[in-house]
Amino acid sequence: MTNSFHPPVRTLMGPGPSDVNPRILEALSRPTIGHLDPAFIEMMDETKALLQFAFQTSNALTLPVSAPGSAGMETVFTNLLERGDKVIICQNGVFGARMKENVERCGAEAIMVEDQWGCTIDVDKAERALRDNPDAKALAFVHAETSTGARSDAEVLCGLAAKYDCLSIVDAVTSLGGIELKVDDWGVDAIYSGTQKCLSCVPGLSPVSFSDRAAEVIRNRKTKVQSWFLDLNLVMGYWGSETKRSYHHTAPVNSLYALHESLVILEEEGLENAWRRHALNYQAFAAGIEALGLSFVVDEEFRLPQLNAVSFPASVDDARVRSALLNDYNLEIGAGLGALAGSVWRIGLMGFASNKKNVLFCLSALSNVLSDCGMETDSAKAIAAAQSIYCN
Ligand SMILES: *Cc1c(COP(=O)(O)O)cnc(C)c1O
């Protein structure tokens, strides 16, 4: 006989999933109803309005794709691109490379503009690429690179795309709910996010939003979207408000309760307050990390408050530290990814997990583990440095 699965209770301070608010887990366990039940449809309408609020947009084409962030990425590229199109991709980490994969699998051409990992996207290089490729259809980039902890200037990049008559495509999987994001003010044409990062919801859904201009491009395609499941022209038969809703696929009913609850929580807190909370907890954490003698990969100006890439001395055993944190403290932090594997940790302070208790807990656990591994650390000094930020 196989027993029921009972996961250990962890504190999730990696690159996602982040700690889920208990209110969201409770919402998830409410009774399942039909995905065309009038009560459910009412909740869908509220979810759409809440997503418009979270993205700061009035875009009619705003909905959660029934699959994780990667599917949101795929939805954007497969719906906007046709064979032979050209897309400029600014890459400064792992997720930009996935954009390239998506573009090429659509039969389109990816023009890569590469920046160093850990750096923000160079807007001058992006502009040069736009000038050199007047036939490009879109400019795509990652707002918050989770592989490095670097923030890029989405407002300026979207402005450049518009200036050169290109669509702007923004990966906001890690930015939504954690840092300033204003889809309409910034003129974003297509954006996708995820539920398991700063929304602190369960993994498995991907909010997306398209400007009217981008929606027009999708409606006027010459060829069918090659993915039946992600074809928004079909999905809109279920999520659209103009038509009577009809079956496309069975919506993940309970996961949508969870998303609804996470957005209600965000609305209660207020977007600006959520951004401020992420910034404050980052500042306290950074003060503590520096007091421990560790350093950041990204220049202060471009750091993401919700994802900290922390470098450690070569003498420190990466895997031993992470497994000691997990086994002895039930604390998950992330390993380095891609070019940064083995030389950094990625420590998330996302959504519900971005709080004072986690900041102080992580600093003291990390300090203890590092001193067990032979590094000289002063846990009291790190805690005091973090505390001093909260007392300001
Ligand atoms: C996590 C992440 C994704 C992928 O989201 P999944 O939900 O894991 O599919 C895409 N882009 C960025 C920047 C991410 O951090």
Side-chain angles (χ1 to χ4, degrees), residues 15-16 67-73 95-96 98 142-147 171-175 192-197 203-206 346 350:
S70 305
M73 181 187 277
F95 291 99
R98 291 201 182 170
V142 178
H143 184 204
E145 236 317 334
T146 323
S147 61
D171 177 320
V173 176
T174 286
S175 55
Y192 57 90
S193 189
T195 43
Q196 83 281 29
K197 311 237 172 155
L205 292 172
S206 176
R346 292 180 303 146
M350 295 182 177

Side-chain angles (χ1 to χ4, degrees), residues 61 80 210-221 233:
L61 188 48
L80 288 177
F210 294 82
S211 69
D212 291 346
R213 187 160 82 114
E216 207 49 35
V217 168
I218 298 171
R219 267 191 291 271
N220 295 330
R221 289 178 62 98
N233 288 308

